[in-house]
Amino acid sequence: MSDADNLVAAFAAADKGDAAPLVELFHDDMTWAGFTLEGTQQIYTKNEFLEAFGVLAKVDEFANEVTRTETTPEGLVVAWVRTYRKLGDKVLDVTMLTTHQFVDGKITRSTDVCPPSFAEYWAATGLA
């Protein structure tokens, strides 16, 4: 399987309750430049990134579905990720873009960019 295929499969497994393939895909020294719940950006280590996913235990429903990928000639994987969250009557259903650098089949560097409604949702829930 390609790096993009492995990314799609790992996100799909995590959505079904098996986070092991996604955790395994991340190199131990990986960093992720991603959004905080407040809408700012932060550089996360692997452990910090995985801890940040703990907020999903506080929502009623969630999904992270990779709906499309593209791989650059240099091997960078760009993914469109449908991000769904529901807490009570508050719903977030947006697409964010992620980029991933793979080395020997492991993600070493990643980024994500979310629309402004991402931070607005978390503020409205009171979880930010």
Side-chain angles (χ1 to χ4, degrees), residues 8-118:
V8 171
F11 268 90
D15 263 2
K16 293 178 182 167
D18 182 9
L22 189 57
V23 172
E24 181 61 27
L25 198 58
F26 296 148
H27 189 279
D28 287 342
D29 294 327
M30 81 119 194
T31 57
W32 190 300
F35 273 83
T36 66
L37 299 182
E38 294 79 19
T40 61
Q41 286 192 299
Q42 173 179 326
I43 303 294
Y44 295 91
T45 64
K46 177 180 180 175
N47 287 338
E48 290 168 336
F49 183 75
L50 295 172
E51 286 173 15
F53 268 109
V55 73
L56 296 180
K58 298 177 181 181
V59 298
D60 300 328
E61 296 176 45
F62 67 89
N64 294 296
E65 177 190 8
V66 178
T67 59
R68 175 178 160 198
T69 64
E70 238 178 88
T71 303
T72 69
E74 298 79 17
L76 300 176
V77 177
V78 180
W80 285 250
V81 182
R82 177 181 173 239
T83 304
Y84 176 82
R85 310 285 185 264
K86 183 175 187 303
L87 180 61
D89 63 348
K90 294 172 181 37
V91 174
L92 174 71
D93 193 352
V94 298
T95 297
M96 70 176 184
L97 290 179
T98 64
T99 59
H100 308 277
Q101 176 190 68
F102 283 81
V103 174
D104 297 329
K106 297 278 191 176
I107 295 173
T108 57
R109 303 286 175 263
S110 291
T111 65
D112 64 52
V113 177
C114 302
S117 56
F118 181 86

